[in-house]
């Protein structure tokens, strides 16, 4: 089993909680960017970092819980090609503030312990991931939240961004139990794989992202022929990755409109 950085601090937090009788959520104290999460004033009752064990491996993940008195649906959040950064936990918090338990697994953690802080290194490592291993880690995240007492069993969706959008689309072909999948500017799996999809799909695309957006009509045609539920919007004034700060279109009304559309879709499909 690989060495897990932050285990010592996790142990120290557990001892402090035991001695004081106060429940203290584990957030690893390190210089890793994924641990430096900007806290929003949103009504999120609990945030924590967890290690999810699968066989001899483990997946590191960030989990956020909403303020609600009943069981909540859950959403698996898949990071961009840079690995897990500061931004994905903020998306977890945003979903939790809107009533969902959300989890963002670090899909590099199974092989490398953590995503690197350098974006170029993250791109190199993510590009080398085995698709079967990615699916196994996503299954581990799915199974983890599905077993939580706070989650309404089997009411689970997925959302991915950039490379993660491609993986969200691909994961929908591999997990027939998913209740919803959101693809944010991700590529389409092959037509044979599309036939396996059971979940309703929502596509979020940038107007100036021709590499992806120009393929959407063909995707729509294939899914219609297969009888799949797929709706999409190409948002004006935006480019690839526009839901993230610093990208083309982030500072336009399209970004807020797209996120509201995502939340409305999850409420429609998961939180009925």
């Amino acid at each position: 089993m690989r060495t897990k950085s932050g285990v010592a601090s996790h142990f120290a937090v557990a001892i402090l909680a035991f001695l004081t009788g106060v429940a203290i959520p584990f957030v690893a104290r390190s210089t890793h960017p994924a641990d430096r999460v900007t806290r929003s004033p949103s009504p999120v009752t609990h945030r924590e970092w967890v290690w999810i064990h699968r066989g001899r491996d483990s997946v590191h993940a960030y989990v956020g819980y909403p303020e609600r008195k009943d069981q909540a649906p859950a959403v698996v959040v898949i990071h961009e090609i840079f690995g897990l950064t500061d931004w994905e936990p903020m998306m977890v918090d945003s979903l939790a503030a809107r009533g969902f338990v959300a989890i963002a697994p670090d899909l590099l953690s199974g092989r490398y312990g953590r995503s690197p802080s350098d974006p170029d290194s993250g791109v190199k490592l993510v590009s080398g991931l085995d698709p079967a291993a990615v699916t196994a880690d996503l299954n581990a995240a799915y199974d983890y939240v599905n077993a939580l007492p706070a989650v309404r069993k089997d009411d689970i969706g997925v959302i991915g961004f950039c490379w993660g959008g491609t993986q969200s689309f691909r994961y929908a072909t591999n997990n027939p139990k998913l209740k919803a999948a959101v693809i944010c500017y991700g590529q389409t799996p092959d037509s044979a794989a599309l036939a396996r999809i059971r979940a309703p799909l929502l596509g979020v695309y940038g107007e100036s992202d021709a590499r992806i957006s120009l393929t959407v009509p063909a995707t729509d045609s294939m899914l219609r022929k297969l009888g799949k539920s797929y709706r999409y919007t190409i948002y004006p004034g935006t480019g690839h990755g526009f839901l993230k700060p610093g990208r083309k279109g982030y500072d336009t009304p399209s970004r807020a409109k797209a996120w509201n559309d995502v939340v409305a879709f999850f409420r429609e499909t998961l939180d009925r």
Side-chain angles (χ1 to χ4, degrees):
M1 183 178 294
R2 66 182 160 283
T3 301
K4 303 174 181 65
S5 59
V7 170
S9 61
H10 189 179
F11 180 75
V13 170
I15 291 296
L16 180 60
F18 175 78
L19 293 175
T20 63
V22 177
I24 303 174
F26 165 55
V27 178
R29 287 172 167 78
S30 78
T31 58
H32 192 273
D35 292 335
R36 299 193 301 271
V37 179
T38 301
R39 302 303 183 194
S40 70
S42 57
V44 183
T45 60
H46 183 75
R47 306 169 174 93
E48 63 182 355
W49 291 93
V50 298
W51 283 100
I52 304 168
H53 302 289
R54 64 171 187 88
R56 298 182 62 185
D57 290 328
S58 298
V59 182
H60 198 223
Y62 179 81
V63 187
Y65 294 82
E67 274 191 355
R68 55 187 296 168
K69 61 184 179 181
D70 59 339
Q71 290 178 313
V75 178
V76 178
V77 177
I78 309 179
H79 58 69
E80 294 185 319
I81 197 167
F82 308 104
L84 190 69
T85 67
D86 290 356
W87 181 70
E88 288 83 10
M90 294 169 68
M91 294 298 96
V92 166
D93 283 356
S94 182
L95 286 166
R98 288 159 175 81
F100 304 92
V101 172
I103 182 170
D106 183 345
L107 296 173
L108 287 175
S109 61
R111 293 183 64 186
Y112 304 106
R114 295 282 187 90
S115 287
S117 58
D118 176 59
D120 291 336
S121 298
V123 170
K124 182 177 180 180
L125 295 176
V126 169
S127 298
L129 287 176
D130 174 45
V134 171
T135 299
D137 285 350
L138 292 175
N139 283 339
Y142 178 100
D143 291 341
Y144 178 84
V145 290
N146 201 32
L148 291 173
V151 170
R152 193 161 59 236
K153 190 170 179 62
D154 297 332
D155 280 344
I156 300 174
V158 64
I159 183 171
F161 309 91
C162 178
W163 175 86
T166 299
Q167 298 308 313
S168 178
F169 217 152
R170 192 180 66 82
Y171 190 52
T173 72
N174 289 322
N175 186 345
K177 297 181 292 184
L178 278 175
K179 293 295 179 63
V182 177
I183 302 102
C184 296
Y185 24 87
Q187 295 175 305
T188 306
D190 62 60
S191 57
L194 292 177
R196 300 196 300 265
I197 293 175
R198 295 186 183 179
L201 306 170
L202 178 69
V204 174
Y205 304 101
E207 181 182 44
S208 298
D209 187 16
R211 180 180 67 92
I212 301 296
S213 61
L214 291 183
T215 69
V216 172
T219 297
D220 183 44
S221 178
M222 284 190 292
L223 289 167
R224 286 181 182 274
K225 289 178 181 177
L226 291 167
K228 307 300 179 181
S229 173
Y230 175 64
R231 68 182 89 156
Y232 69 89
T233 301
I234 298 175
Y235 292 88
T238 64
H240 188 79
F242 70 91
L243 290 171
K244 191 172 186 178
R247 310 286 180 83
K248 178 179 174 62
Y250 178 82
D251 56 352
T252 70
S254 288
R255 190 261 305 176
K257 173 65 165 60
W259 190 243
N260 287 337
D261 289 346
V262 168
V263 173
F265 175 73
F266 279 139
R267 284 179 174 157
E268 174 190 335
T269 53
L270 301 177
D271 203 14
R272 294 170 292 182

